[in-house]
């Protein structure tokens, strides 16, 4: 987990009091998917046609991290 991702997670769990973080990444965005995987986030699902970008429907991978797993 990178320092910046760790700090964001720490802040969300400790300061805001969140129990779960969700991360969405375009299926073709290799960098964002790698951040999720290396950041200890668990893969949940791929959402088909989740949003429109430049007139094209895009699929998104959803990842999550629970406070107890951090």
């Amino acid at each position: 987990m990178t320092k910046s991702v760790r700090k964001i997670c720490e802040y969300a769990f400790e300061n805001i009091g969140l129990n779960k973080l969700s991360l969405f990444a375009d299926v073709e965005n290799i960098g964002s998917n790698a951040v999720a995987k290396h950041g200890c986030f668990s893969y949940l699902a791929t959402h088909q046609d989740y949003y429109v970008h430049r007139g094209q429907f895009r699929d998104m991978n959803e990842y999550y991290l629970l406070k107890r797993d951090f």
Side-chain angles (χ1 to χ4, degrees):
M1 180 180 290
T2 65
K3 284 184 180 181
S4 57
V5 172
R6 176 168 288 287
K7 286 292 184 186
I8 291 168
C9 293
E10 282 178 10
Y11 186 83
F13 292 138
E14 295 173 11
N15 296 91
I16 300 175
L18 297 179
N19 184 56
K20 179 181 179 180
L21 297 175
S22 295
L23 187 152
F24 290 83
D26 188 297
V27 295
E28 293 184 13
N29 188 325
I30 296 166
S32 292
N33 284 281
V35 166
K37 291 174 186 175
H38 293 114
C40 301
F41 283 74
S42 298
Y43 172 79
L44 181 63
T46 297
H47 302 281
Q48 306 266 321
D49 295 342
Y50 192 77
Y51 76 109
V52 177
H53 179 69
R54 296 184 181 169
Q56 298 290 321
F57 283 103
R58 307 292 304 160
D59 297 344
M60 297 287 279
N61 288 331
E62 181 179 2
Y63 302 88
Y64 70 95
L65 177 62
L66 298 175
K67 183 177 181 178
R68 68 173 182 237
D69 297 332
F70 180 61

